[in-house]
Amino acid sequence: MKLRTALILSALGCTSALAATPSSTAAPQPNVTAETAQAIAPVSKRLSGSLTVGYSSNYVGRGYVPTNTIVEGEGCINSVLQTKYNLDEEGTWSWNAAVVYNVIPSGHTLYGNPCYDPRVSYATGKTGHIKQMNVENEFVVSTSVTYKKELWNMTLGYDMVHGGMLGVMAKHYHKQGASNVNEVFIRPEWTPAPWVSVNCTTRYSIQGIYGWWFEPQVTFKAPLIGTPENVKLAAKLDLGASFTADYFSAEDKACSNGGQTWWFRFSTPWFIQDNLILTPSISCHWAGKGAMKSNNRSEIRAATLNDLNVPFKNFAVVAGVHLTYTF
């Protein structure tokens, strides 16, 4: 019974299928991310983990949903492998690690996809390159240490991100020539009741781009079928936001100082077996001032005179389904 209850809490708290990443612990998106994907495992097991695979209707980066101008198509294949090791028998201290790979199936690879500059194409009939149109598949490695008490816990960790939305900013807007970002993060979490939790992840990039991310999130969860000790079908509602400084720099034409996005996600984990959970989800995302300014100053929009050729969607609905195996 204790094992069953622990698995239920693990699945309900997982940010991969229910949300993702690298720093995927409290992620504002259906994409699988590392920090959000750190599951809470039974304290009777020193070593535990999970494997999640799934599909989302859009790639989501820190709550932002890029347009087809950026990713050249809809859809994102998500996968994450996560492990947790309790450093003591009570589970007060634990070490967490996760590897995340988000694939944009429209011709993209780990090392990027060639893209074109319409201004060159219109003038010469040949394809060129434009910096804001190159999103590589997202690969994330995350590791962290968590200190847990009865009603709260504190996590301190490190993420290495290659590709994705952060990779575009690092490689093109900041002219470093590589799609890599390294971050440190801290995330306090408070659980005043079994059905609600509050956390805020604060990240600082130490390589690639130097800047801050602040990601507050509130989660509500409850059983739909079954009891809290023996859940068959659950409901989970996440409300969150993402605020950044320095990532959207005013010195870059298509960027802006600061940026915000707001989102909510509803998911219904279905416990097929004790260690196998199927989770459909749907989320809504609203872009804030920074993304709007980026859209208004978009280079490709100015080149093509097409208002649809902008980096971010003002509003987006993202659906997904993920399968998680816990061990």
Side-chain angles (χ1 to χ4, degrees):
M1 182 63 70
K2 290 184 179 180
L3 177 60
R4 170 69 172 178
T5 303
L7 288 171
I8 291 169
L9 293 175
S10 172
L12 288 176
C14 175
T15 55
S16 59
L18 306 185
T21 147
S23 18
S24 294
T25 305
Q29 63 215 38
N31 291 5
V32 179
T33 51
E35 318 161 50
T36 54
Q38 294 169 0
I40 302 173
V43 296
S44 58
K45 297 175 61 175
R46 296 296 287 268
L47 179 64
S48 60
S50 67
L51 174 64
T52 298
V53 294
Y55 181 83
S56 301
S57 60
N58 293 85
Y59 166 79
V60 182
R62 299 286 164 86
Y64 291 89
V65 181
T67 65
N68 291 354
T69 299
I70 297 292
V71 299
E72 298 180 327
E74 305 288 351
C76 183
I77 301 171
N78 316 127
S79 61
V80 59
L81 174 64
Q82 56 194 19
T83 59
K84 174 181 178 180
Y85 181 75
N86 289 325
L87 300 177
D88 54 17
E89 294 183 357
E90 295 76 20
T92 303
W93 289 92
S94 63
W95 174 80
N96 314 282
V99 177
V100 179
Y101 191 40
N102 291 319
V103 178
I104 302 171
S106 55
H108 294 255
T109 67
L110 179 62
Y111 298 104
N113 187 47
C115 49
Y116 67 95
D117 184 342
R119 293 167 294 187
V120 177
S121 180
Y122 294 156
T124 66
K126 299 179 181 180
T127 58
H129 191 276
I130 191 167
K131 61 183 180 181
Q132 73 177 32
M133 290 183 61
N134 187 12
V135 172
E136 305 173 19
N137 290 342
E138 187 176 59
F139 178 72
V140 179
V141 177
S142 178
T143 183
S144 62
V145 174
T146 298
Y147 177 74
K148 182 181 179 182
K149 299 296 288 185
E150 183 177 357
L151 298 180
W152 63 274
N153 66 74
M154 181 72 70
T155 299
L156 179 65
Y158 167 83
D159 292 325
M160 186 284 289
V161 185
H162 176 92
M165 185 184 73
L166 302 188
V168 171
M169 295 178 179
K171 183 175 183 179
H172 300 297
Y173 293 147
H174 288 255
K175 307 175 183 62
Q176 71 170 39
S179 301
N180 300 321
V181 174
N182 290 275
E183 301 177 315
V184 292
F185 67 89
I186 186 170
R187 184 181 60 260
E189 182 175 26
W190 179 46
T191 307
W195 51 272
V196 63
S197 63
V198 180
N199 70 72
C200 183
T201 303
T202 301
R203 313 176 196 277
Y204 183 72
S205 299
I206 57 176
Q207 183 269 334
I209 301 177
Y210 298 95
W212 296 87
W213 286 92
F214 305 95
E215 298 172 276
Q217 178 175 324
V218 180
T219 297
F220 302 93
K221 52 195 175 185
L224 293 179
I225 300 177
T227 65
E229 295 77 21
N230 188 22
V231 177
K232 298 297 183 183
L233 181 68
K236 184 169 180 280
L237 176 63
D238 298 295
L239 308 173
S242 182
F243 305 93
T244 181
D246 296 338
Y247 269 77
F248 293 87
S249 174
E251 69 183 30
D252 293 307
K253 182 177 179 180
C255 289
S256 168
N257 268 334
Q260 317 83 32
T261 180
W262 294 267
W263 55 272
F264 76 83
R265 179 179 54 254
F266 179 73
S267 57
T268 54
W270 173 35
F271 293 81
I272 303 173
Q273 296 179 0
D274 283 352
N275 61 348
L276 192 63
I277 307 112
L278 181 67
T279 306
S281 65
I282 187 168
S283 61
C284 295
H285 303 255
W286 291 266
K289 180 179 178 181
M292 294 300 94
K293 187 174 181 181
S294 298
N295 286 351
N296 292 335
R297 303 182 66 182
S298 168
E299 294 176 349
I300 187 173
R301 178 188 182 190
T304 61
L305 302 179
N306 186 344
D307 289 342
L308 297 179
N309 287 334
V310 294
F312 304 109
K313 294 185 178 182
N314 297 357
F315 171 75
V317 177
V318 180
V321 60
H322 296 82
L323 184 66
T324 300
Y325 174 76
T326 62
F327 54 89

